[in-house]
Amino acid sequence: GYSGRTFWRWAVTAALGIVTGCVAVALSQLTNAIVAHRRARFGGDPGTMRSCILFDCLLACLAAGATTLLAPGAAGSGIPVVKAYLNGVRVRGCLSPKCFLVKFFGTAMAVGAGASLGPEGPLVHLGAMAGSFLTGGVRLRQTMPSFFRTDIDRRDFLSLGSACGFAAAFGAPVGGVLFALEEASSFWDDKLLWRGLVASSLAVFAALALDHGIIGLTKLSHYGLISLGGSDPNVSVELLVLAIPAGLVGGILGGFFVRAWALLERIRRLIAERSYSSRPWRVGARTAEAAFGVGITTLAFLAVAKTTGCVQIHEEDSEGRSHAWTTDSSFAVRFGCDDDEVNELASLWFAPRENVIKKILAGGAFSASSLFYCGCLAFATLLLVFGTALPGGLFLPLIYCGACLGGAAARSTKFENSKRFQAPAQRHLGVLGAVALLAGVQRTTVSLVVIVLEGTGNVHMLLPIVATTVVARFVGNLLSRGFYEVALHSKNIPFLEKHVPSNFDRKFVADVMKVPVVLTRLTTASAASEVLHACSHGAFPVVSSDEGPEDPSKRPLAGLVLREHVAALLAHRRDGRDDRRDRALSSAGWDGPQTPPRRLASGPQPLDLGPVMVRSPYVVYADCPLSRAYRLFVTMGLRHLVVVSHEDNSVAGVVTRADLAGCLHS
Amino acid sequence: GYSGRTFWRWAVTAALGIVTGCVAVALSQLTNAIVAHRRARFGGDPGTMRSCILFDCLLACLAAGATTLLAPGAAGSGIPVVKAYLNGVRVRGCLSPKCFLVKFFGTAMAVGAGASLGPEGPLVHLGAMAGSFLTGGVRLRQTMPSFFRTDIDRRDFLSLGSACGFAAAFGAPVGGVLFALEEASSFWDDKLLWRGLVASSLAVFAALALDHGIIGLTKLSHYGLISLGGSDPNVSVELLVLAIPAGLVGGILGGFFVRAWALLERIRRLIAERSYSSRPWRVGARTAEAAFGVGITTLAFLAVAKTTGCVQIHEEDSEGRSHAWTTDSSFAVRFGCDDDEVNELASLWFAPRENVIKKILAGGAFSASSLFYCGCLAFATLLLVFGTALPGGLFLPLIYCGACLGGAAARSTKFENSKRFQAPAQRHLGVLGAVALLAGVQRTTVSLVVIVLEGTGNVHMLLPIVATTVVARFVGNLLSRGFYEVALHSKNIPFLEKHVPSNFDRKFVADVMKVPVVLTRLTTASAASEVLHACSHGAFPVVSSDEGPEDPSKRPLAGLVLREHVAALLAHRRDGRDDRRDRALSSAGWDGPQTPPRRLASGPQPLDLGPVMVRSPYVVYADCPLSRAYRLFVTMGLRHLVVVSHEDNSVAGVVTRADLAGCLHS
């Protein structure tokens, strides 16, 4: 039957989908407004190049400055922090309303300034934040039913939100759900999968309806912010062969990108540690870095566009290729060319990226050289701006580069003269190029394939897309680790992959466990406060105080208590019973920030930890294979696992996420 | 890096995909050959009706007889048994080579005989069996690397195989993976998801290549056995409104179907218990039942076709509707009509179901009444034959019924006269009808949506499909439980849903645990043999024999030993050390059949259980919430969970799958 709880859960799920869809459209509209303004103002004349660079740098300064000052967690794509949260690691300041606003406006400004960044990653982050807000992240918690305050619900809604953000960005509901599923580490059951699909579909529908105006909506098509072109059933089998070189190039470029990015990140960190330790310096340096990256991007594109790229305006050439883009006044710009000409490269640069991708994949007749320049410049400048304080994601620039390079390959002489490939070559190679680059950099796999599938609306492309992904992923893995893995590692986040490392079969829990700090169930305020001051552990095994040997480490385990609950008990002198139900669930890993005890009561007053502890935590024995403990950790989303001894159920040790992560990289 | 183990795993994954694709094509070819023969022989003249019924009954007798005699596990769709296996319950005789052969030929004969059954469910079962064989189910195990002999690998390949079977049947690689993911209860990590996608894609490609002849393959299109028609970007937004009545009807019909089927199944069981207990009687009765169902099906269709359905042969009518099917000599049959006429209903009946679905969804101008008769008859006879000893699945007949009824609705006067809906109505309503029926009966959700999406090749249908599924599922859930749930329950399989039942939060492990039968680590052969004879438990907690109190139930837990390992130890007098590594993994639930001890050595010889026991099984405390234990069970695929006491790590009880399943339905 459907209880009130189920009803509320579905209602909030639906609301989350609609809200995320609206956020996606608002972000896209704001970005496009900036891009359109920039294009109208600077697109006509190369003489305004300097002011264009100035304009872009100003926008970048604003975005980067706001991020560094107000919400450093908003920088970058945000997918790594969402991944970390869903994996069980809470990164601070990444889910606040301030972060939401900074991310929203910062992304619009960064993408609007022409930086090689996209709104897809930020939308995942924004969706996750929306999910967090709707379940009690902000003051709503008083009015919401109390069951949403459990951390399990919060985490579920966070992953639903990220699925919605993704779905709205790409118009790919199934892809969004799969993305959340591939990244969310914990317990996904059928019902959550189903709720995810409904929420994502609503997000996509809300985006579609808002974008067309609710009255103007007549056809269900072109959902997402990115459209990868319409369906085309004529997919030749030769495309499967072309998947191999495409994947090869994508894998090599992707591996190179990840390695170069990791190097830059290390340099950034080194400089940051050495040169500026004070806050104003840091803000200034981060802002300048972002402005520099954006300025260089604009300069590079415009400088090349100034010297090359003028083409005649005409509808169709003698070989039947469509030059319709040259007459599209919302796309083509003159940028100093003659009256009957437009500047190809400037058009590709000033137009919104989504439009460019669409035009390339629709087979618009751009020259191979322009596409090649565009792809190379976008790839190089992506390296420059991704990693600065600017909010913005990887997907759009990678798809842009891939489509440009794939299109350039299709326009090159060999393909132009081959009868077999000619007609669909640009479209298909563009898609394969985008897939190859995405797979080469990110290595996410199934969701990536589904996104592209849904984005292109063409299931017949499936086999070539899978083949390209296989090759690109394989080659990329030979050259470097995946981007997210590197990004999480560089942020020192103890991330646990879902896949159990093979060497864990030969290790045992005893090899990694740490000596525990235990509390006795019936203790005194002063003793507990002493323990809390002496170490920074997030949780403490509680041993029985009934009887048994004098040495607490020989007494049997009675439960597990979180640091914050002991601190709350000491600070407020309450038994904490009222919110035990919610908090007890959080014991398994979704505990809050490790607050230092405030207003600690100390002294010989007795303190009973019984009401706040979890009475039956997950436990393992010391001779348990590490692989089994790892599985328990990642599947149940644990943060602490108590190791007990066979003989007397006494506490032998504690395994934490950091212990396992350390073992992972050794 | 890529180790030999990784290489072999991928090689077998690829082989599994290709093999399953080939099996799918072979099954489809064989079925189509039978259908074509039947059509050529009996399609022209109603005078041959009697011999047609005889022919069909004969085929049904063959299929049902072989199933009942040789492999009773091959009856039905096979999806429930695959679900059960992946959930951790081993149903006997469902993965043998004999079962494979019976399933393959039986399905071809049953579908060929015109029974309302399809090859999709059997293909999932066949794929799972192929996966089981490739990883040591048959004699290959000597030549394969030993790591494939672990039960985890076997289970992984089984779910990969079912994904491949599904993918090949529908031409839906992503849908196949999602299906396996939604059904497979245990640990799915990213790498398995990815392997699943590659295997499914290979299965689909192999099917495609074989079907076209490898040389003739030029275009990558129409993969699967069922094609739901080409893409069509003109999906009007009104379809979202039509999703509500479609879902409503689908949910009601589906709920009714499940209830009626459960009733029939109960009657079958009652009759079986009362009347025939001997084997020959059982075989005879089951065979007769199948033949009766098939005979009635043929009789009903042909009797209606005889009295109605003659239409003029013409290409196109005055309103521009395509009557091309009347001139398609591989589709239309005369069945007693005049020279310039064909019999509509007989054509719909004699042609392969896949073709009919394709023609309806392509907008072929059939009359509303013929489609309505067809849909109703197919639905009624589905109830008659599904559940008999015939192998065959639900998908195809449900899609057939749904497409017929949806098409009939589209051809009804209201729609015919409405300008807005006319053009795509038949196609779109047909798809919605199929979705509604599938969702109403099966309630599988995300994978269902994806299958239809991939099958139709039309992502623009996504929102209406999701809306229909939501409504049908909701209405269906009000009327009955889901089909698979009912089927598993009627077979007395202790199936555990992935979703934790909400009332389990308020129960504790102590409420359901059973009194354990413990073994002492250092025991004697006679004592162990006595325990094995005295009870039928599948596993025994082992307590330490070092010291401690005299009462074994007060001694600390040392490990968990499986019945079969104790039996092997007693029978063969070996210490079992050589295969301990593989077997140890199986302890968590994938243990083999509970063999009675053979050639038991008994007597006072000492027996050390140490080498064969799992030293650190998963344990919980008696005051653990049942929801937590349930989660552990379904996520880790356990069969036995030892409950220990806080005080001294002594064995307080054992929780089994049956205990939890019993609590589920109470």
Side-chain angles (χ1 to χ4, degrees), chain B residues 72-125:
Chain B
S77 85
I79 293 180
V81 292
V82 173
K83 273 191 79 146
Y85 188 98
L86 293 177
N87 194 250
V89 187
R90 188 170 286 188
V91 186
R92 279 197 222 178
C94 287
L95 295 172
S96 64
K98 210 157 62 177
C99 183
F100 187 92
L101 290 177
V102 168
K103 190 105 199 180
F104 183 86
F105 289 104
T107 303
M109 285 191 279
V111 179
S116 284
L117 293 170
E120 285 73 24
L123 269 174
V124 170
H125 192 181

Side-chain angles (χ1 to χ4, degrees), chain B residues 431-516:
Chain B
V431 170
L432 288 196
V435 169
L437 262 190
L438 282 174
V441 171
Q442 303 191 329
R443 322 274 159 84
T444 45
T445 51
V446 179
S447 55
L448 168 68
V449 170
V450 177
I451 296 156
V452 178
L453 212 63
E454 288 185 290
T456 55
N458 195 347
V459 289
H460 304 123
M461 282 287 285
L462 180 68
L463 292 182
I465 290 173
V466 170
T468 308
T469 316
V470 170
V471 177
R473 190 179 142 97
F474 181 80
V475 174
N477 274 342
L478 291 181
L479 294 176
S480 79
R481 285 186 287 153
F483 172 74
Y484 291 125
E485 215 179 317
V486 170
L488 288 164
H489 193 57
S490 85
K491 282 177 205 266
N492 287 324
I493 291 173
F495 187 82
L496 300 183
E497 293 283 339
K498 262 184 275 187
H499 192 76
V500 183
S502 52
N503 62 334
F504 275 32
D505 266 340
R506 294 183 296 276
K507 288 184 181 171
F508 293 91
V509 168
D511 301 340
V512 302
M513 71 185 186
K514 293 276 163 57
V515 179

Side-chain angles (χ1 to χ4, degrees), chain B residues 121-135:
Chain B
L123 269 174
V124 170
H125 192 181
L126 290 170
M129 284 192 269
S132 162
F133 298 157
L134 278 179
T135 45

Side-chain angles (χ1 to χ4, degrees), chain A residues 20-21 104 151 199 215 237 279 297 315 489 524 563 568 587 619 624:
Chain A
T20 313
F104 184 85
D151 279 323
I215 305 299
V237 88
R279 193 175 145 90
T297 307
E315 279 283 343
H489 193 56
T524 61
R563 178 192 198 83
S587 71
V619 295
C624 175

Side-chain angles (χ1 to χ4, degrees), chain A residues 217-233:
Chain A
L217 182 68
T218 54
K219 275 174 37 176
L220 298 175
S221 57
H222 179 204
Y223 298 146
L225 304 188
I226 293 190
S227 162
L228 302 176
S231 174
D232 170 11

Side-chain angles (χ1 to χ4, degrees), chain A residues 218 220 235 237 499 635 646 649, chain B residues 189 218 220 235 237 635 646 649:
Chain A
T218 54
L220 298 175
V235 180
V237 88
H499 192 75
T635 322
H646 270 295
N649 198 35
Chain B
D189 59 32
T218 54
L220 297 175
V235 179
V237 88
T635 323
H646 270 294
N649 199 34

